Amino acid sequence: RLGTGQPTSLSPDGRWALSVPVDGHPLLLHPTGPGESRTLPDPENIVFNNAGWLDANHVIAFGQKMGERSQGYIQDITGGPPRRFTPEGAAVNVPTWWTLPVSPDGTRVIAKDAHDMPAIYAVDGSAPQPVPHLNPGDIVVQWSSDGRALLVAHRDGLPWVVERLDLVSGRRTPAVTIRAHDAAALRLSVFGISRDAKYYVHTYARLLSDLYVVNGLK
């Protein structure tokens, strides 16, 4: 057992597991080896929805302060409070993204803007850019290893179809198809995938019920 909270990801050096508490704050770091868990400073009581890593010393998270819409934040795990880098409305929620789509160089992240459209946000705070060549229903789930393409997923019922989308040309190539082992009564389906699309983790929930026939009712 490492600690409390909803786990999101391991640090690039594998030393820390990042987690979000049930009430959304503050972010927690649990050591994967010897050591004690740490609580990251959250003086403004930001309620976080999802969090990930930029590099071994910086985490990136999306959440909201009281009375405000969701925004993106960066925090140095060696000290200091979260620093905002997006305008209000930028959001990354777990039902859509299990893991944050952060570029390999740690300079960009995909999130939905205030109009619920996917956008590319730069961590230096510059203006967000629309994601090119997306089709209706596409969900950006990961960046490619070279940073020149995105892995996008879509489904019409079942299963998930994941494609590699070139950001310049818009060319799509098949990557992987992800399906539940038993899709009966499927209610929730979320996955995380590696940049090369060779590995993924798929979690889903099913709601099963029994049908009864009752005789002799008056």
Side-chain angles (χ1 to χ4, degrees):
R1 181 178 182 272
L2 296 182
T4 61
Q6 174 67 35
T8 62
S9 57
L10 292 175
S11 60
D13 57 12
R15 296 179 56 195
W16 298 99
L18 177 63
S19 73
V20 180
V22 174
D23 59 3
H25 67 95
L27 296 177
L28 302 173
L29 296 179
H30 303 302
T32 57
E36 298 182 355
S37 295
R38 294 169 50 193
T39 299
L40 296 183
D42 186 12
E44 296 184 289
N45 292 321
I46 302 166
V47 178
F48 294 105
N49 302 312
N50 205 344
W53 293 86
L54 287 181
D55 54 47
N57 291 319
H58 295 86
V59 297
I60 181 171
F62 286 79
Q64 57 278 331
K65 294 185 286 187
M66 182 68 69
E68 296 184 1
R69 291 179 296 172
S70 175
Q71 301 172 71
Y73 296 87
I74 296 173
Q75 188 163 13
D76 190 330
I77 67 171
T78 62
R83 171 181 64 83
R84 182 175 65 87
F85 73 95
T86 74
E88 280 193 69
V92 174
N93 296 315
V94 173
T96 302
W97 286 284
W98 191 0
T99 55
L100 295 185
V102 179
S103 63
D105 59 5
T107 63
R108 296 162 293 168
V109 63
I110 306 293
K112 286 193 173 182
D113 62 17
H115 304 289
D116 206 35
M117 296 298 294
I120 302 173
Y121 289 89
V123 300
D124 63 7
S126 55
Q129 302 294 322
V131 181
H133 311 300
L134 284 184
N135 294 331
D138 280 343
I139 297 176
V140 180
V141 293
Q142 185 58 279
W143 290 77
S144 65
S145 300
D146 57 14
R148 294 183 293 188
L150 298 172
L151 295 180
V152 298
H154 59 88
R155 63 174 180 167
D156 183 11
L158 293 173
W160 286 107
V161 177
V162 184
E163 298 173 310
R164 187 182 189 273
L165 172 64
D166 188 282
L167 288 172
V168 175
S169 68
R171 180 186 179 191
R172 291 171 177 252
T173 53
V176 66
T177 299
I178 299 174
R179 55 172 49 90
H181 292 296
D182 187 346
L186 190 69
R187 299 180 64 228
L188 175 67
S189 176
V190 183
F191 66 93
I193 192 168
S194 62
R195 299 189 191 279
D196 58 8
K198 291 182 178 180
Y199 306 96
Y200 63 84
V201 177
H202 182 208
T203 180
Y204 56 91
R206 296 190 298 150
L207 179 61
L208 300 175
S209 59
D210 296 311
L211 178 65
Y212 295 89
V213 176
V214 180
N215 297 315
L217 292 178
K218 295 181 179 180

